[in-house]
Amino acid sequence: MNFLRNKLHLTYPQMIILGFGAIIVFGALLLMTPFASQSGQWTPFINALFTSTSCVCVTGLIVYDTATYWSFFGQFVIIILIQIGGLGVVTVITSLALITGRRIGYLARSTLANSISISAVGGIIRLLQFICKITFMVEGFFALLMSFTFIPEFGLIKGIWYSIFHSISAFCNAGFDLMGVREPFSSLTSYVSNPIINISIMSLILIGGLSFSTWADIKEYKFNLHRYHMQSKIILLMTAILVVFPAIYFFFVDFTGMPLGTRILASFFQSVTPRTAGFNTVDLTKMSESSIFLQIILMLIGAAPGSTGGGMKITTFFVLVTTSMAIFRNRSRTESFGRTIPETIVRNSATILMLYVSLCIGAAMVISVIENVPMVTAMYETASAIATVGLTLGITRDLTIVSRIILIFLMFAGRIGGLTLIYGMFPFRNQCLGRYIEENVAVG
């Protein structure tokens, strides 16, 4: 890291971008090899790159069915890339340095804090140890729970592998699955009424989608909510709202022909998975157009900052909503939970919103023209990519090379984050010492 920082004169965002890019290319080279495919043939680089990007960016969009195309070696590479991408490249590198007994300098600590959206460097190593501990504990517990379903169904060895694979994939909000052994590209549709699989996958998605700093608050303060940091309060509140209310909508608008228990599971699952996992237990193409659009919104909102999930982040959405409410009430400051949100955060939130919406719509327009698909279908695909979700209406595997390259860029941009992308591309921010005269502009 010192070499990258001092010799190459890279900023922290550029180091994060370079780290993710290097892992993606390395993963693509591994997936290209004949060992990675069941047929024993070389995989085209663009498809290997697409798959590797989807893994490292914990998205879940695929051009090949994971279970039927990739060999065990290929699947193993995929799940390792997912784990690295979920925890973050810098987190994994720093963890390996700790394991080997190397000293973690201030530069490495600062880069790590930046990569997991933590402002303070102090205590970052203890937080890293906590992150690794809770990750493997949660993944292990739910892998064990799902094994009670998968082992009787697929046998001991394959059942254990399926349990581990889906547990890691769900916790990292990746959305990769091995259920293609039933029907290619079917995701978890055969388990729509299975409470163990539904509850396990939803729990893993939600736990992974909370920020690691929120889990640190939960560990330290338990149920003493008023002592939580404001960010943790926002994350928990918005997570509850964005799970319950969409689930109620899906319950009454879709899935009306299902038994009550299955209908409840399907409604909650499709409310949880757009933020930002990529599994599905129902045929998405049969959902109403309004529900499809609602899922696009949920995908763009995403999970919490500093988590395994993507999207523009629920804190960004909260800040924008709270700012709008402050304006409606003729207040000059954005306030919440007895705190004032800095103007810089408000401006950053507006910038992130514009970036995500512009990229999503702009890319969708291009793909819609190239692939001759409806705009909503294209938007669903691009929102899924930039929010690193992985849900699709079934067009991913049929896209042309140009459209796949567009999705690769969106997945990469979505994983490293809007602000990281901006600061990485425009690292030199000259501070203006002067100030122009103000003049009003009519808006609205």
Side-chain angles (χ1 to χ4, degrees):
M1 287 188 181
N2 287 322
F3 173 79
L4 293 175
R5 176 70 171 170
N6 299 326
K7 301 298 182 181
L8 300 182
H9 305 290
L10 297 178
T11 62
Y12 294 137
Q14 289 173 334
M15 291 169 63
I16 294 171
I17 292 172
L18 183 62
F20 271 100
I23 295 296
I24 287 171
V25 173
F26 180 69
L29 294 176
L30 289 177
L31 292 175
M32 279 184 64
T33 63
F35 306 105
S37 65
Q38 292 189 15
S39 64
Q41 297 180 344
W42 289 86
T43 299
F45 177 72
I46 186 65
N47 293 339
L49 181 65
F50 188 98
T51 303
S52 180
T53 304
S54 187
C55 292
V56 177
C57 298
V58 289
T59 305
L61 292 174
I62 54 175
V63 291
Y64 298 124
D65 181 75
T66 308
T68 57
Y69 181 84
W70 302 107
S71 64
F72 176 77
F73 173 76
Q75 293 172 10
F76 183 76
V77 170
I78 284 172
I79 205 62
I80 294 299
L81 292 176
I82 288 172
Q83 188 75 85
I84 293 173
L87 291 177
V89 175
V90 179
T91 303
V92 173
I93 293 175
T94 309
S95 299
L96 292 175
L98 280 175
I99 293 172
T100 56
R102 295 188 178 184
R103 180 178 174 273
I104 309 300
Y106 180 80
L107 174 62
R109 294 169 190 257
S110 299
T111 307
L112 175 61
N114 191 287
S115 68
I116 58 176
S117 303
I118 300 295
S119 57
V121 177
I124 192 68
I125 299 302
R126 288 194 301 274
L127 179 60
L128 173 62
Q129 294 169 339
F130 173 71
I131 290 172
C132 294
K133 181 179 179 180
I134 193 172
T135 295
F136 296 118
M137 284 180 60
V138 170
E139 289 176 348
F141 173 77
F142 283 103
L144 177 63
L145 189 60
M146 287 189 287
S147 69
F148 289 102
T149 295
F150 289 142
I151 289 178
E153 190 171 348
F154 298 104
L156 180 62
I157 302 300
K158 186 175 286 188
I160 292 174
W161 171 238
Y162 278 26
S163 301
I164 295 172
F165 187 97
H166 290 93
S167 184
I168 295 174
S169 181
F171 179 81
C172 293
N173 280 224
F176 280 80
D177 68 86
L178 299 177
M179 292 301 112
V181 292
R182 292 177 173 274
E183 182 182 349
F185 304 99
S186 62
S187 192
L188 301 176
T189 52
S190 57
Y191 295 97
V192 63
S193 60
N194 187 304
I196 292 179
I197 300 301
N198 275 264
I199 293 173
S200 296
I201 296 295
M202 283 191 288
S203 299
L204 285 162
I205 293 170
L206 291 173
I207 293 171
L210 296 178
S211 71
F212 296 117
S213 60
T214 299
W215 278 108
D217 275 354
I218 293 173
K219 176 191 176 186
E220 184 171 356
Y221 302 120
K222 305 298 188 295
F223 296 104
N224 198 358
L225 297 179
H226 75 276
R227 299 190 64 185
Y228 284 22
H229 291 87
M230 181 176 67
Q231 177 167 304
S232 296
K233 295 177 182 178
I234 293 172
I235 289 170
L236 293 173
L237 173 64
M238 293 304 296
T239 297
I241 291 174
L242 293 175
V243 168
V244 173
F245 286 98
I248 294 173
Y249 183 86
F250 294 144
F251 181 85
F252 287 105
V253 175
D254 299 280
F255 320 136
T256 53
M258 295 180 176
L260 180 60
T262 303
R263 188 177 175 185
I264 293 173
L265 286 175
S267 299
F268 272 98
F269 195 95
Q270 290 312 130
S271 177
V272 170
T273 192
R275 305 178 32 255
T276 53
F279 295 102
N280 58 283
T281 56
V282 297
D283 186 350
L284 298 176
T285 60
K286 295 181 179 179
M287 295 185 70
S288 64
E289 191 172 38
S290 61
S291 295
I292 293 296
F293 191 75
L294 175 57
Q295 288 185 65
I296 292 175
I297 295 174
L298 292 174
M299 287 192 283
L300 290 176
I301 293 174
S307 71
T308 62
M312 67 180 185
K313 304 299 185 292
I314 52 179
T315 47
T316 303
F317 180 70
F318 178 86
V319 168
L320 293 172
V321 171
T322 308
T323 301
S324 299
M325 292 174 63
I327 293 173
F328 294 155
R329 298 161 68 181
N330 199 26
R331 293 187 176 181
S332 59
R333 296 184 300 273
T334 302
E335 299 171 334
S336 182
F337 294 105
R339 297 288 188 273
T340 298
I341 299 175
E343 185 65 24
T344 304
I345 302 299
V346 176
R347 294 177 61 188
N348 286 346
S349 299
T351 302
I352 292 171
L353 174 66
M354 285 300 300
L355 178 66
Y356 273 78
V357 171
S358 299
L359 287 175
C360 176
I361 295 177
M365 292 173 66
V366 175
I367 291 177
S368 178
V369 172
I370 294 175
E371 308 296 338
N372 193 26
V373 296
M375 184 64 182
V376 172
T377 302
M379 273 191 66
Y380 196 91
E381 201 79 9
T382 55
S384 180
I386 196 169
T388 68
V389 178
L391 294 176
T392 178
L393 296 179
I395 68 172
T396 309
R397 57 185 180 270
D398 299 320
L399 294 176
T400 59
I401 292 179
V402 175
S403 296
R404 291 182 185 183
I405 292 174
I406 292 173
L407 292 184
I408 287 173
F409 169 76
L410 291 178
M411 288 189 288
F412 185 74
R415 182 63 186 105
I416 62 176
L419 288 180
T420 303
L421 178 65
I422 293 171
Y423 294 154
M425 293 174 61
F426 308 103
F428 303 106
R429 294 180 291 165
N430 296 323
Q431 186 174 4
C432 183
L433 299 178
R435 182 175 180 178
Y436 291 111
I437 299 173
E438 289 186 0
E439 182 174 348
N440 290 330
V441 176
V443 296

